[in-house]
Amino acid sequence: ILADIPEDAFIAQEEIFGPIMAIFKVRGNSDEEAIRMANNCEFALSSCAFSASAKRARSVASRLVAGMSAVNDLEGCTYMSQSLPFGGCKKSGYDRFAGPEGLRGLCMIRSVCEDLIPFIRNSIPPPMQYPATGVGHLFAQGLIDMFYSPSWWGKVCGLFTVIRYSMSAPSKKHVE
């Protein structure tokens, strides 16, 4: 057990593998400061949050940037259960093994698209085709707004943008 470790100490900024518990003093007993300190590291394999209040520990653990978190328990419980995905984030890695997520990592997942209705063919819309007309980016922005705008008004504006740049010839101000 290492106690009263400065936040910028070497052991606080490196990934520790071994039976070591690092304890830091948190100014003002502040959850926000504890979370900031814990997330202020380039490594993030696993984390633990301890508190006499399970609700408080759960709240802190949910805001820790780490591949695995334990609430009022040692981090070992997160990797001893083989049905849970194991892995980190930041410099501790981004992939997982174990659990359904780990199994997917062994698969080659891909998409295959084909025209479902024989007489309807997908093609690149004319504003996006080569040679460039100068409005392809505006047409694409309309598509993005139409499909992904969080508001109905944004979706309608996106639809009108798509129609506008589908049916009109490019103006000279859009052509480079």
Side-chain angles (χ1 to χ4, degrees):
I1 296 175
L2 302 173
D4 297 331
I5 299 171
E7 188 177 353
D8 60 349
F10 182 77
I11 197 162
Q13 297 301 317
E14 289 295 317
E15 199 158 39
I16 304 169
F17 290 99
I20 298 172
M21 178 179 273
I23 300 173
F24 300 83
K25 275 192 178 176
V26 178
R27 286 181 295 244
N29 197 27
S30 162
D31 291 354
E32 296 303 320
E33 178 65 5
I35 292 163
R36 186 200 64 74
M37 290 172 70
N39 290 336
N40 187 28
C41 181
E42 294 182 343
F43 298 94
L45 181 59
S46 63
S47 63
C48 313
F50 291 90
S51 173
S53 162
K55 181 179 178 182
R56 181 181 184 194
R58 188 178 313 110
S59 173
V60 169
S62 71
R63 293 182 284 161
L64 296 174
V65 177
M68 303 167 287
S69 288
V71 175
N72 284 336
D73 204 342
L74 294 175
E75 60 190 337
C77 70
T78 58
Y79 66 81
M80 292 305 289
S81 175
Q82 294 301 302
S83 63
L84 294 176
F86 178 92
C89 21
K90 299 182 183 179
K91 286 188 175 179
S92 292
Y94 288 95
D95 208 355
R96 301 288 180 264
F97 68 85
E101 293 81 2
L103 187 56
R104 282 189 198 105
L106 300 172
C107 300
M108 186 182 92
I109 300 171
R110 64 189 192 111
S111 300
V112 177
C113 300
E114 75 178 90
D115 294 324
L116 183 63
I117 304 169
F119 58 88
I120 297 178
R121 296 306 226 191
N122 289 324
S123 63
I124 297 173
M128 309 268 311
Q129 290 178 1
Y130 183 82
T133 61
V135 297
H137 66 290
L138 299 169
F139 179 85
Q141 184 61 55
L143 283 174
I144 292 167
D145 292 340
M146 186 173 76
F147 288 113
Y148 300 108
S149 177
S151 71
W152 282 104
W153 179 247
K155 291 177 185 300
V156 169
C157 289
L159 174 62
F160 282 113
T161 301
V162 166
I163 292 169
R164 175 180 175 196
Y165 291 109
S166 295
M167 304 181 93
S168 66
S171 66
K172 291 188 185 234
K173 73 176 186 176
H174 295 298
V175 177
E176 293 183 24

